[in-house]
Amino acid sequence: MSLLNALPSTEQFCLTGSGKWSSAFAVTDLASASIAAVGLELAKLIASLNLAPAVPQVTVDQRLASLWFDCSFRPDGWQLPNLWDTIAGVYETQDGWIRLHTNLPHHRQAALNVLDCDATRESVAAVVKHWQADDLENETVNAGGVAAAMRSREDWRAHPQGRAVAAEPLIDWVSPGFIQLRERTQATAERPLAGLRVLDLTRVLAGPVSTRTLAGFGADVLRIDPPGWDEPGVITEVSLGKRMASLDLSMGEDRLVFEALLSKADVFVHGYRPGALDGLGYDATNRRRLAPNAVEVTLDAYGWTGPWAARRGFDSLVQMSAGIADAGRDWAGSRTPHPLPVQALDHATGYLMAAAVLSALNAAAQGAPVPLARLSLARTAELLAGMDTSTQGPEITGPAAADYAPHTEKSSWGPGRRLAAPLHLSATTLHWEQPATRCGSSPAAWQTARQ
């Protein structure tokens, strides 16, 4: 039994559509291949479960795959809130550039505490100009915030964390054990993941993309957030097809509910920093005790080894750290950092996580040991940095009306249109029965019909 460990080659799937994102890096190639990885692993699972007479053919639409790496939902008659906090972004320092990520209130406050200035972009820019980039990065991180100084690819390769990440596998399969798959009589070639219980403890953006993808093939995805949690501008993207519940894992009663949910889960996907679940009392030993037959997949920002393994991070920050934004600057002939046209590290990692879930389920179906899968945004950045661009065609600048599915999606915030599916198998295609919904809008329980 071979577990997923690399992107598939284009010979393994059918590629349709045309166009590519304009970038110094092979963003569209990464989009097509990472989405194809989901399809190919699902095709193997369909065959292993005898849901179809042969392994299905996998087809990826190159244009739609590229567009799904951006925003998939277009509101009809209303507007999404701004994705970014007013002081989030790139600032010039004494010796270079730094990106501050302040979308979450406690990260915003941490940055302002270090800078000791007013919460306006002008005030922040004036103060940051007097800092060395590395010094401000370290001070912000030590204060509980998130920031990343811009490094070149050469600097990142020489950095202790860059060296550690480069030595890690794309998907780190660890702690193998045998699991017994629960029978799912609802599963068909058309909805191969029907009845699969997926417990989702992930946040913006990679982890939620993975579970959204599993929901698109019929999985019962239950996402758990802290009470009052929200991700304005993002939830319409990542809650598609899921039920969104709230639990406080520091409270005894809610912990009992969570443990009962975990004990009945077939898949557990989480994106807490290394050690965070341990601190809540759910280390690997306890998780295995509570859910001995659950496939587990997890991610972090900066990799699983090295001095930054526990560091908070997001796609835009990893692009700065790993030399992506600097290489983009050289490619664009720009003075300022030039990021990827989309948050490709998040999306690609998310699809690879979904593919890893399917790969692990296939291993279990064949009676092979099933390890836990660990991925990271930084390791995906190394993957992208090493890829050659092979796609051709016109530059993609955004979706057209024809790129959207014809039906209206009635989200919790209002109606809208969702991009057409980028992935098709012989007997099935990505589609979601449930529209995007608000955080905390569902009870913390598995669907009765699927128990």
Side-chain angles (χ1 to χ4, degrees):
M1 178 64 218
S2 177
L3 293 163
L4 178 68
N5 60 16
L7 286 179
S9 66
T10 53
E11 291 78 22
Q12 294 176 265
F13 59 96
C14 180
L15 191 63
T16 62
S18 65
K20 63 179 182 179
W21 289 116
S22 180
S23 173
F25 297 92
V27 174
T28 286
D29 298 79
L30 179 64
S32 297
S34 59
I35 290 176
V38 174
L40 290 165
E41 294 302 320
L42 182 61
K44 294 176 188 176
L45 181 62
I46 288 172
S48 292
L49 297 177
N50 296 313
L51 299 178
V55 178
Q57 171 69 43
V58 174
T59 301
V60 174
D61 185 300
Q62 175 179 306
R63 175 177 172 82
L64 289 172
S66 301
L67 292 172
W68 272 88
F69 265 46
D70 194 12
C71 182
S72 69
F73 185 77
R74 184 183 69 184
D76 183 8
W78 57 282
Q79 288 188 334
L80 291 168
N82 194 336
L83 178 63
W84 297 102
D85 176 64
T86 55
I87 62 171
V90 170
Y91 294 88
E92 189 171 11
T93 65
Q94 273 187 4
D95 59 344
W97 299 88
I98 193 167
R99 178 179 281 275
L100 304 178
H101 200 291
T102 56
N103 281 5
L104 297 179
H106 58 290
H107 292 165
R108 188 177 199 264
Q109 192 57 53
L112 291 173
N113 289 345
V114 170
L115 295 170
D116 192 24
C117 69
D118 293 335
T120 67
R121 193 163 185 86
E122 295 74 20
S123 296
V124 171
V127 173
V128 169
K129 197 71 184 269
H130 297 286
W131 280 81
Q132 299 279 326
D134 281 356
D135 291 343
L136 181 54
E137 176 188 77
N138 290 332
E139 289 295 325
T140 304
V141 169
N142 290 338
V146 280
M150 187 177 75
R151 293 173 173 81
S152 67
R153 283 291 301 156
E154 292 72 23
D155 288 342
W156 181 243
R157 290 191 193 103
H159 191 280
Q161 191 59 34
R163 293 199 303 270
V165 168
E168 294 180 3
L170 178 62
I171 301 174
D172 191 16
W173 295 99
V174 299
S175 305
F178 289 94
I179 70 173
Q180 183 68 43
L181 290 184
R182 186 172 53 85
E183 184 179 1
R184 294 183 292 110
T185 57
Q186 313 95 311
T188 63
E190 293 76 21
R191 297 305 271 168
L193 302 186
L196 188 78
R197 300 185 190 124
V198 179
L199 190 59
D200 179 359
L201 260 67
T202 64
R203 306 285 181 268
V204 189
L205 184 59
V209 165
S210 74
T211 50
R212 179 186 70 187
T213 305
L214 299 175
F217 288 108
D220 176 13
V221 178
L222 179 62
R223 172 165 151 168
I224 304 297
D225 292 309
W229 181 267
D230 195 11
E231 296 165 9
V234 176
I235 289 296
T236 50
E237 283 294 308
V238 299
S239 67
L240 176 64
K242 307 177 188 180
R243 291 179 301 110
M244 307 288 285
S246 297
L247 290 173
D248 184 343
L249 297 188
S250 68
M251 302 291 290
E253 203 168 298
D254 281 8
R255 288 171 65 87
L256 292 176
V257 173
F258 171 73
E259 291 170 11
L261 292 171
L262 181 57
S263 71
K264 293 183 179 180
D266 302 304
V267 176
F268 181 37
V269 182
H270 54 98
Y272 283 34
R273 288 183 301 137
L277 278 179
D278 297 28
L280 289 167
Y282 300 116
D283 61 16
T285 300
N286 277 335
R287 295 196 303 271
R288 182 59 63 90
R289 176 182 59 81
L290 288 165
N293 291 312
V295 164
E296 185 171 344
V297 174
T298 185
L299 84 153
D300 75 355
Y302 281 104
W304 294 89
T305 59
W308 287 9
R311 177 171 288 207
R312 297 175 178 88
F314 298 93
D315 181 308
S316 57
L317 299 180
V318 174
Q319 288 190 46
M320 292 285 281
S321 300
I324 300 292
D326 182 65
R329 178 177 67 161
D330 291 343
W331 171 81
S334 171
R335 176 175 171 271
T336 60
H338 191 84
L340 300 172
V342 291
Q343 291 184 278
L345 307 183
D346 263 330
H347 287 274
T349 304
Y351 287 113
L352 286 170
M353 290 173 68
V357 167
L358 299 170
S359 184
L361 289 171
N362 191 36
Q366 298 189 34
V370 180
L372 179 154
R374 304 191 304 191
L375 298 90
S376 75
L377 302 182
R379 184 59 183 83
T380 301
E382 291 305 300
L383 170 69
L384 177 60
M387 291 177 65
D388 294 325
T389 299
S390 62
T391 52
Q392 302 298 321
E395 178 184 345
I396 292 173
T397 57
D403 294 316
Y404 290 91
H407 64 275
T408 296
E409 179 181 321
K410 297 179 180 179
S411 80
S412 288
W413 302 267
R417 298 274 297 281
R418 186 76 59 175
L419 287 171
L423 174 62
H424 301 266
L425 278 70
S426 302
T428 186
T429 187
L430 274 169
H431 71 276
W432 295 266
E433 286 94 0
Q434 181 163 313
T437 55
R438 296 182 185 275
C439 293
S441 57
S442 295
W446 295 116
Q447 293 188 36
T448 303
R450 294 183 178 177
Q451 296 216 0

mmCIF file of all heavy atoms in Angstrom, residues 25 39 45 59 119 153 162 264 300 358 410 438 447:
data_model
loop_
_atom_site.group_PDB
_atom_site.id
_atom_site.type_symbol
_atom_site.label_atom_id
_atom_site.label_comp_id
_atom_site.label_asym_id
_atom_site.label_seq_id
_atom_site.Cartn_x
_atom_site.Cartn_y
_atom_site.Cartn_z
ATOM 1 N N PHE A 25 5.842 31.964 -10.154
ATOM 2 C CA PHE A 25 5.779 30.563 -9.758
ATOM 3 C C PHE A 25 4.644 29.844 -10.489
ATOM 4 O O PHE A 25 3.740 30.479 -11.027
ATOM 5 C CB PHE A 25 5.595 30.444 -8.246
ATOM 6 C CG PHE A 25 6.748 31.005 -7.459
ATOM 7 C CD1 PHE A 25 6.735 32.332 -7.035
ATOM 8 C CD2 PHE A 25 7.844 30.220 -7.173
ATOM 9 C CE1 PHE A 25 7.802 32.854 -6.323
ATOM 10 C CE2 PHE A 25 8.916 30.729 -6.461
ATOM 11 C CZ PHE A 25 8.899 32.050 -6.030
ATOM 12 N N GLY A 39 -8.802 13.852 -6.638
ATOM 13 C CA GLY A 39 -9.550 12.973 -7.520
ATOM 14 C C GLY A 39 -8.935 11.599 -7.662
ATOM 15 O O GLY A 39 -9.647 10.577 -7.649
ATOM 16 N N LEU A 45 -10.030 4.947 -3.772
ATOM 17 C CA LEU A 45 -10.915 4.538 -2.683
ATOM 18 C C LEU A 45 -12.211 3.945 -3.228
ATOM 19 O O LEU A 45 -12.714 2.937 -2.706
ATOM 20 C CB LEU A 45 -11.205 5.728 -1.768
ATOM 21 C CG LEU A 45 -12.097 5.442 -0.567
ATOM 22 C CD1 LEU A 45 -11.453 4.426 0.373
ATOM 23 C CD2 LEU A 45 -12.410 6.743 0.202
ATOM 24 N N THR A 59 -10.796 14.076 -14.125
ATOM 25 C CA THR A 59 -10.660 15.228 -15.012
ATOM 26 C C THR A 59 -10.631 16.507 -14.189
ATOM 27 O O THR A 59 -11.467 16.703 -13.302
ATOM 28 C CB THR A 59 -11.834 15.307 -16.014
ATOM 29 O OG1 THR A 59 -11.871 14.110 -16.788
ATOM 30 C CG2 THR A 59 -11.678 16.500 -16.945
ATOM 31 N N ALA A 119 -3.839 52.998 16.271
ATOM 32 C CA ALA A 119 -4.276 51.917 15.390
ATOM 33 C C ALA A 119 -4.706 52.454 14.032
ATOM 34 O O ALA A 119 -5.832 52.247 13.572
ATOM 35 C CB ALA A 119 -5.403 51.133 16.040
ATOM 36 N N ARG A 153 15.015 33.807 -1.171
ATOM 37 C CA ARG A 153 15.062 32.348 -1.196
ATOM 38 C C ARG A 153 16.392 31.850 -0.634
ATOM 39 O O ARG A 153 16.443 30.856 0.087
ATOM 40 C CB ARG A 153 14.894 31.848 -2.641
ATOM 41 C CG ARG A 153 13.473 31.899 -3.156
ATOM 42 C CD ARG A 153 12.560 30.892 -2.481
ATOM 43 N NE ARG A 153 13.003 29.525 -2.655
ATOM 44 C CZ ARG A 153 12.696 28.532 -1.836
ATOM 45 N NH1 ARG A 153 11.958 28.744 -0.752
ATOM 46 N NH2 ARG A 153 13.124 27.310 -2.079
ATOM 47 N N GLY A 162 14.267 27.162 7.505
ATOM 48 C CA GLY A 162 14.221 26.810 6.091
ATOM 49 C C GLY A 162 14.893 25.482 5.816
ATOM 50 O O GLY A 162 14.388 24.668 5.023
ATOM 51 N N LYS A 264 -16.867 8.965 17.793
ATOM 52 C CA LYS A 264 -17.662 8.445 16.688
ATOM 53 C C LYS A 264 -17.207 8.959 15.322
ATOM 54 O O LYS A 264 -17.817 8.647 14.298
ATOM 55 C CB LYS A 264 -19.138 8.803 16.896
ATOM 56 C CG LYS A 264 -19.762 8.102 18.099
ATOM 57 C CD LYS A 264 -21.234 8.423 18.224
ATOM 58 C CE LYS A 264 -21.861 7.689 19.414
ATOM 59 N NZ LYS A 264 -23.299 8.005 19.543
ATOM 60 N N ASP A 300 0.362 22.611 10.128
ATOM 61 C CA ASP A 300 0.782 23.836 10.795
ATOM 62 C C ASP A 300 1.384 24.766 9.751
ATOM 63 O O ASP A 300 1.366 24.473 8.543
ATOM 64 C CB ASP A 300 1.726 23.554 11.971
ATOM 65 C CG ASP A 300 3.135 23.169 11.558
ATOM 66 O OD1 ASP A 300 3.397 23.012 10.342
ATOM 67 O OD2 ASP A 300 3.997 23.037 12.439
ATOM 68 N N LEU A 358 -8.082 10.706 2.032
ATOM 69 C CA LEU A 358 -8.547 9.649 1.137
ATOM 70 C C LEU A 358 -7.508 8.548 0.993
ATOM 71 O O LEU A 358 -7.849 7.352 0.931
ATOM 72 C CB LEU A 358 -8.897 10.250 -0.220
ATOM 73 C CG LEU A 358 -10.008 11.307 -0.186
ATOM 74 C CD1 LEU A 358 -10.121 12.014 -1.533
ATOM 75 C CD2 LEU A 358 -11.342 10.679 0.192
ATOM 76 N N LYS A 410 -28.175 29.736 -1.420
ATOM 77 C CA LYS A 410 -28.803 30.566 -0.396
ATOM 78 C C LYS A 410 -28.000 30.468 0.895
ATOM 79 O O LYS A 410 -28.311 29.695 1.805
ATOM 80 C CB LYS A 410 -30.256 30.136 -0.185
ATOM 81 C CG LYS A 410 -31.117 30.329 -1.425
ATOM 82 C CD LYS A 410 -32.546 29.874 -1.197
ATOM 83 C CE LYS A 410 -33.380 30.070 -2.452
ATOM 84 N NZ LYS A 410 -34.779 29.609 -2.272
ATOM 85 N N ARG A 438 -23.336 30.196 8.891
ATOM 86 C CA ARG A 438 -22.613 30.933 9.928
ATOM 87 C C ARG A 438 -21.981 30.003 10.962
ATOM 88 O O ARG A 438 -22.460 28.890 11.195
ATOM 89 C CB ARG A 438 -23.569 31.889 10.657
ATOM 90 C CG ARG A 438 -24.160 32.983 9.797
ATOM 91 C CD ARG A 438 -25.047 33.904 10.617
ATOM 92 N NE ARG A 438 -25.723 34.889 9.780
ATOM 93 C CZ ARG A 438 -25.181 36.051 9.400
ATOM 94 N NH1 ARG A 438 -23.959 36.348 9.811
ATOM 95 N NH2 ARG A 438 -25.858 36.883 8.652
ATOM 96 N N GLN A 447 -25.230 13.882 12.529
ATOM 97 C CA GLN A 447 -26.565 13.790 11.972
ATOM 98 C C GLN A 447 -27.164 12.429 12.343
ATOM 99 O O GLN A 447 -26.555 11.395 12.099
ATOM 100 C CB GLN A 447 -26.533 13.950 10.456
ATOM 101 C CG GLN A 447 -26.124 15.363 10.038
ATOM 102 C CD GLN A 447 -26.269 15.596 8.540
ATOM 103 O OE1 GLN A 447 -27.197 15.085 7.929
ATOM 104 N NE2 GLN A 447 -25.376 16.361 7.971
#
